[in-house]
Amino acid sequence: MGERERERERERETEDGGRENTEMAEAHQAVGFQFTVRPDGVDFKLSQEVIKNIYLSGVTAWKKKAIQFKNGVLAGVYPASPSSWLIVVIAMMSSLYIHIDLSLGMMDAIKENLPYRDCMSVQTRAVLSAILFATGLWLFLIYLLRYTLKALLSYHGWIFESHGKMSTSTKVWLCLVKMFSGRRPLLYSFQASLPRLPVPSVDDTIHRYLESVRPLLDNEQYNKMELLASDFKENKAAQLQRCLILKSWWATNYVSDWWEEYIYLRGRSPIMVNSNFYIMDLLYVTPTHRQAARAGNVVHAMLQYRRKLERGELAPLRALGTVPMCSTQMERMFNTTRIPGIETDFVQHLTDRKHLVVFHKGRFFQVWLYTGGRHLLPSELETQFQRILNDTSEPQPGELKLAALTAGYRVPWAQARIKYFSQGINKVSLDAIESAAFFLTLDDEPQGYDPAKSNSLDSYAKSLLHGKCYDRWFDKSFTLISYPNGKMGVNVEHSWADAPIVGHMWEYILATDCFHLGYTEEGHCKGDVNKNLPHPTQLQWQIPNECQNVIETSYLSAKQIADDVDFHGYLFAEFGKGLIKKCRTSPDAFIQLALQLAQFRDQRVFCLTYESSMTRMFRDGRTETVRSCTSEAVAFVRAMEDAGATNAQRLALFRKAAEKHQNMYRLAMTGSGIDRHLFCLYIVSKYLGVDSPFLTKVLSEPWKLSTSQTPQQQLNLVDINKFPKYVGGGGGFGPVADDGYGVSYIIVGENLITFHISSKFSSPDTDSYRFGQHIRKAMVDIQALFKPENDKTAQNAKYVHLENGKKHI
């Protein structure tokens, strides 16, 4: 049989043999070699292009290792620099010639105790001793600088000063921090200089706790709680506190590892809705309506961000432009998956992976992200994603809803993973998903904010939060979601990091996509189209009927959760941060008091309120809780509802409540919060077998109102004044309590606040739309306190009072 005949035969076999032979052909393209079995042997051919790609890949890998090593050294010796070592060495060498012993005799001692000194000349020993002494002195100075900077960063008095009024001592402190911080720090340069999270005293924590629950309990309930707290403090607290202090000396952070394990990884309930959160795309701008093109640009921007992240080349986030924030959480952003277990999950973080897994209409595809030692260009990624969109093949048996395993209960998923995905092609395909850089879903239903549709944000949020329950891989560190109309979004697994970490990445991606990469006039990615890339490879599965039953069960339980989510998102555009600041108050305190007023108008009672605060000024810091429902906030809300109270009285109570809230927020940020300390004391009590009714009671209290602000962190990326339409919609999360609300908000620029409100349809007492209207009215009513009664803002505000309104569906 001639070569042409054999080629035609291979083509016929590919056409008749179906998907398996197609995959084999694509695999051959991927590795770039061909072989033919002949009667006289095997004809093996390796193309010149493949040799070139292998060479370029090797060069890129070594170049990457060299850059990582260099940046690792720079971060390792920070705030000094490698060149400073040379300066110290030269200074010590110079002392040999001017006969002034700067080492006070230490160089002579080193010279006399050098090994093999008899084999070296006197001059060689002198030079070597000078180098060794200089190196030791240099390392000592580095540690001295670091611990001096750590001591400076342990001071937090600046955060308690009034806005715009900086004391002389704080100005001096800032100058010292800048002086010891060095120049041009890398992402991880400050890690060794960050202070440890302090353990508050038991007395302070219990005092603040009792103060926080006083407005929520009647006299009898409060007296009982006081007795429980007193008994705990007198009999059990000292032993638990000693263990906690010991841990704080040993571990870099006494909270974070237990928080990750017990709050997230040991949870056996579904993480979809209950744990994962989402982040939206730009509100008003869609750079292109071509799905594959938008996904191509965004994925390429993510690869750029990952490269900067792996090399540590991103600038560290700093408060006041000076005080560094911890960057530890960013390390696990890519190549990370939550792996299910029977008793507890664990987070698997791998090194650089060169592929992406894409989900489209029930099929999983593997897409390589590199060629010839470089990232695929946006145009090349667009080509690959368009090939997937054009693929009309049907899902394999059990493949359509496979990802529902990650949406359901954790134990069935862990058992199925062990039984059905631990060997064979199922293991290969699952490994491809779990080792991928991240997960991409090419959705088939358009979403996004549409001013013409009243519920567009509601639908968009629910799509990002849970989708169809089987079209996001909820275990991945994040799932990137691409819609047919060009909109994007992210669903994030919560255990490895908090929202600001992913938000930082997302801000970079959107700015890079719109202002650096751009699109052609036809909406395609810029650059030449490379059609010679190997096609995406569809992952193969052999899923037995028993496993399909587990998948269906997980899907049904997840769908029940998703269908129960009552979501409402809306843009509050009556006023924003600009006007609130003119009222000389904190925008966050303003919104939190509005939420308290809205909660009371909606439920007619006050409730335990959770507001998330970050503790990233400390090493490995994550979050702390601010208990926003204070006695001062309750007094203000009651005055707002009291027809006999004057606006002057209400305003005075507002300012008092706002100041109290700001002080609590500052305490939480500086390690003097309530809940993380009590949580860790509870964990220690369980380890030691100590029964504490007080801690059990505290940890069982429900948060009926859970709130969080999505921060804007990189205002330098986009000039909102010049490009007012390029603003993001923020993100949100599911309801924490069965009969409560989850509220996320983002303060966008000077004139817009976006709210994301969640609750459950199954609760007869909650309605997300109704609560949103209460928030709107509360915001306007509070702002009216700062102006005369004929304030146009208050008169023109639109409000629909739905005290007895029915739920929207």
Side-chain angles (χ1 to χ4, degrees), residues 566-747:
D566 176 16
F567 225 102
H568 178 57
Y570 75 93
L571 310 183
F572 181 86
E574 281 83 345
F575 57 87
K577 178 176 66 175
L579 186 58
I580 295 174
K581 283 187 173 180
K582 290 180 181 178
C583 299
R584 292 179 293 111
T585 190
S586 157
D588 184 70
F590 187 102
I591 295 171
Q592 284 293 324
L593 288 171
L595 291 174
Q596 290 301 314
L597 181 55
Q599 162 70 24
F600 186 78
R601 287 174 173 175
D602 188 79
Q603 300 291 313
R604 308 313 301 176
V605 293
F606 296 98
C607 69
L608 195 60
T609 305
Y610 181 110
E611 182 188 7
S612 179
S613 163
M614 68 91 181
T615 56
R616 288 175 59 206
M617 289 190 293
F618 301 97
R619 182 76 178 268
D620 293 344
R622 289 195 62 162
T623 61
E624 178 57 276
T625 303
V626 180
R627 294 176 167 238
S628 301
C629 186
T630 61
S631 297
E632 291 81 359
V634 168
F636 163 69
V637 170
R638 293 197 184 281
M640 290 294 291
E641 296 298 277
D642 182 2
T646 65
N647 277 358
Q649 292 172 328
R650 293 167 177 164
L651 184 56
L653 289 170
F654 171 85
R655 291 202 180 281
K656 188 176 180 181
E659 181 60 34
K660 176 67 174 180
H661 181 270
Q662 284 182 272
N663 187 61
M664 291 181 62
Y665 202 98
R666 291 161 177 161
L667 287 170
M669 288 181 63
T670 53
S672 298
I674 300 168
D675 289 275
R676 299 301 179 269
H677 185 203
L678 292 175
F679 163 76
C680 288
L681 289 172
Y682 178 78
I683 298 300
V684 173
S685 74
K686 291 301 179 184
Y687 276 126
L688 298 180
V690 176
D691 182 47
S692 171
F694 170 70
L695 292 175
T696 302
K697 176 71 174 175
V698 170
L699 271 295
S700 63
E701 292 171 337
W703 301 95
K704 289 194 175 183
L705 180 58
S706 183
T707 70
S708 177
Q709 179 186 168
T710 304
Q712 287 186 291
Q713 303 171 81
Q714 302 170 90
L715 300 177
N716 60 309
L717 291 178
V718 180
D719 186 347
I720 296 180
N721 294 323
K722 189 175 180 181
F723 303 100
K725 296 293 185 181
Y726 286 83
V727 294
F733 51 89
V736 174
D738 291 338
D739 56 351
Y741 292 106
V743 181
S744 177
Y745 52 93
I746 180 171
I747 302 171

Side-chain angles (χ1 to χ4, degrees), residues 335-565:
N335 318 313
T336 298
T337 307
R338 175 172 174 162
I339 305 298
I342 303 299
E343 295 182 357
T344 182
D345 297 350
F346 69 93
V347 177
Q348 173 184 274
H349 175 64
L350 305 170
T351 54
D352 180 21
R353 287 301 188 267
K354 302 185 184 301
H355 72 277
L356 174 71
V357 171
V358 182
F359 179 90
H360 178 243
K361 291 188 175 181
R363 293 94 34 89
F364 295 82
F365 296 87
Q366 186 175 23
V367 177
W368 293 100
L369 299 172
Y370 290 76
T371 182
R374 63 166 176 82
H375 293 149
L376 290 187
L377 301 175
S379 58
E380 294 171 330
L381 288 166
E382 178 186 358
T383 299
Q384 296 294 67
F385 298 148
Q386 192 60 53
R387 286 170 172 173
I388 294 174
L389 291 171
N390 294 340
D391 191 308
T392 58
S393 62
E394 292 295 322
Q396 300 158 74
E399 184 181 18
L400 175 63
K401 297 180 181 179
L402 176 62
L405 289 170
T406 68
Y409 286 89
R410 305 303 292 174
V411 173
W413 170 208
Q415 292 171 336
R417 188 176 185 275
I418 294 170
K419 187 173 182 180
Y420 303 110
F421 298 92
S422 59
Q423 58 185 356
I425 63 172
N426 286 352
K427 183 182 188 310
V428 173
S429 296
L430 182 62
D431 285 347
I433 295 174
E434 293 179 343
S435 64
F438 54 92
F439 193 82
L440 169 64
T441 293
L442 297 175
D443 221 321
D444 51 4
E445 296 178 2
Q447 296 289 349
Y449 172 63
D450 184 351
K453 297 180 180 178
S454 59
N455 66 339
S456 62
L457 276 180
D458 307 7
S459 174
Y460 186 17
K462 283 177 68 68
S463 174
L464 291 174
L465 185 64
H466 55 69
K468 298 176 182 176
C469 303
Y470 59 79
D471 50 358
R472 289 92 176 88
W473 198 268
F474 294 100
D475 285 353
K476 288 299 290 183
S477 55
F478 66 89
T479 295
L480 179 65
I481 302 160
S482 170
Y483 295 103
N485 57 349
K487 283 294 182 184
M488 303 289 290
V490 184
N491 179 284
V492 186
E493 199 279 310
H494 207 333
S495 67
W496 64 276
D498 302 307
I501 303 301
V502 187
H504 184 277
M505 179 266 291
W506 194 236
E507 289 172 354
Y508 175 92
I509 299 309
L510 295 181
T512 302
D513 173 30
C514 297
F515 295 98
H516 298 283
L517 298 177
Y519 300 88
T520 66
E521 292 183 359
E522 294 79 19
H524 293 286
C525 294
K526 294 180 179 178
D528 296 332
V529 178
N530 182 1
K531 295 184 178 180
N532 295 323
L533 293 171
H535 282 64
T537 306
Q538 185 172 348
L539 301 184
Q540 298 298 298
W541 308 94
Q542 290 179 354
I543 303 175
N545 292 332
E546 297 84 355
C547 184
Q548 292 182 36
N549 292 335
V550 177
I551 293 171
E552 186 65 21
T553 301
S554 293
Y555 166 70
L556 292 175
S557 61
K559 188 174 187 302
Q560 185 177 10
I561 295 172
D563 290 345
D564 197 24
V565 175

